[in-house]
């Protein structure tokens, strides 16, 4: 009796699964988590191009890291839909943001840095600082709840005020508001705001706006200034009742 033929089937080799945790995250991975968190605050998932622009890198570099963070259980990534943080990814992002903002406060309050000089310094230091060092720095300056630019500082337990605020550009003509916070990424922009007297706690009023997304005239104290729409969109306020 002839022996049956053996059918050869291709062997599908699968890469070994990556462990759920690889110990402390690299600074690059932390930067991705923080960028995704900040982009998610706009109300939508973080797209590849948005992440690349936020980090100042090529979009082609983003996919591999997002996939790695996905395998680590820190990000949920869907093709064509963008990335969102998991609970673990959110906790890691908020821890980094806490370190960054406390370092900024410490540099301003104890070392005499200007509010326009601390962002890049904090970016360099935030990955190296331990939780114990951050706790001691926070204690030394009275455990602030906001950074020098008005952004809320997450607690050690990962709690943070995520209230979405309107910007000056969202105010109606004649409407007044209190400045709460502003983007801190560009020192030149912060120096510009300082010259206008626009800091957290200042009162601003929209006097008029030019048509077709033209500049906006705002009153800060007793002085009127004309600011561009792009600048107005980066200053977040709490409208007066």
């Amino acid at each position: 009796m002839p022996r049956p033929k053996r059918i050869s089937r291709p062997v599908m080799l699968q890469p070994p699964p990556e462990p759920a945790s690889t110990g402390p995250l690299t600074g690059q991975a932390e930067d991705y988590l923080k960028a995704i968190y900040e982009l998610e605050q706009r109300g939508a998932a973080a797209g590849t191009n948005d992440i690349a622009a936020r980090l100042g890198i090529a979009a082609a570099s983003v996919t591999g890291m997002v996939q790695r963070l996905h395998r680590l259980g820190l990000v949920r990534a869907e093709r064509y839909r963008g990335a969102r943080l998991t609970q673990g990814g959110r906790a890691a992002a908020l821890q980094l943001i806490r370190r960054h903002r406390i370092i900024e406060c410490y540099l301003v309050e104890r070392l005499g840095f200007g509010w326009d000089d601390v962002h890049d310094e904090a970016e360099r230091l935030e990955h190296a600082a331990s939780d114990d060092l951050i706790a001691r720095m926070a204690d030394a300056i009275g455990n602030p709840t906001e950074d020098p630019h008005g952004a809320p500082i997450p607690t050690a337990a990962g709690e943070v005020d995520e209230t979405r605020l309107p910007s000056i550009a969202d105010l109606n003509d004649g409407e007044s508001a209190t400045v709460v916070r502003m983007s801190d990424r560009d020192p030149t922009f912060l120096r510009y705001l300082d010259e206008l007297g626009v800091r957290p706690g200042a009162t601003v009023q929209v006097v008029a706006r030019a048509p077709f997304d033209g500049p906006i005239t705002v009153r800060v104290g007793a002085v009127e200034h004309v600011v561009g729409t792009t600048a107005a969109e980066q200053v977040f306020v709490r409208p007066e009742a």
Side-chain angles (χ1 to χ4, degrees), residues 171-177 204-209 217 219 240:
L171 298 177
N172 298 315
D173 289 1
E175 191 173 7
S176 297
V204 298
Q205 182 184 38
V206 171
V207 177
R209 66 183 69 223
T217 302
R219 182 178 292 116
E240 295 182 355

Side-chain angles (χ1 to χ4, degrees), residues 16 32 61 73-74 83 111 114 152 181 183 239:
Y32 269 78
S61 304
L74 299 172
L111 301 184
R181 60 178 178 264
S183 171

Side-chain angles (χ1 to χ4, degrees), residues 4-176:
K5 289 184 178 181
R6 297 183 62 183
I7 300 176
S8 176
R9 289 188 172 90
V11 178
M12 303 299 293
L13 297 177
Q14 298 291 336
E18 190 162 347
S21 174
T22 58
L25 293 170
T26 65
Q28 183 186 36
E30 289 184 325
D31 285 340
Y32 269 78
L33 294 177
K34 182 169 71 169
I36 294 170
Y37 173 85
E38 291 170 345
L39 290 168
E40 276 194 277
Q41 294 309 296
R42 304 177 308 177
T48 298
N49 291 333
D50 293 329
I51 297 171
R54 192 80 175 182
L55 295 176
I57 60 177
S61 304
V62 173
T63 303
M65 177 59 79
V66 169
Q67 289 176 347
R68 177 172 180 265
L69 295 173
H70 176 78
R71 292 194 298 269
L72 292 174
L74 299 172
V75 165
R76 290 191 300 272
E78 295 185 32
R79 196 169 186 177
Y80 307 121
R81 294 190 178 182
R84 290 187 181 274
L85 298 178
T86 63
Q87 185 174 355
R90 172 183 162 84
L94 288 174
Q95 184 182 59
L96 183 66
I97 292 170
R98 171 176 168 79
R99 294 201 298 264
H100 180 99
R101 293 177 180 173
I102 287 177
I103 290 170
E104 285 190 335
C105 289
Y106 191 88
L107 291 175
V108 169
E109 296 188 25
R110 286 302 176 92
L111 301 184
F113 279 72
W115 76 326
D116 55 315
D117 291 329
V118 293
H119 177 77
D120 289 345
E121 290 290 346
E123 287 278 298
R124 287 187 282 269
L125 295 171
E126 63 189 17
H127 301 295
S130 67
D131 291 341
D132 182 56
L133 175 59
I134 293 300
R136 289 171 183 259
M137 292 172 73
D139 286 342
I141 54 177
N143 291 295
T145 58
E146 299 172 351
D147 75 5
H149 316 100
I153 297 175
T155 67
E159 299 171 346
V160 65
D161 181 0
E162 294 180 330
T163 303
R164 297 181 67 182
L165 297 170
S167 70
I168 290 177
D170 296 317
L171 298 177
N172 298 315
D173 289 1
E175 191 173 7
S176 297

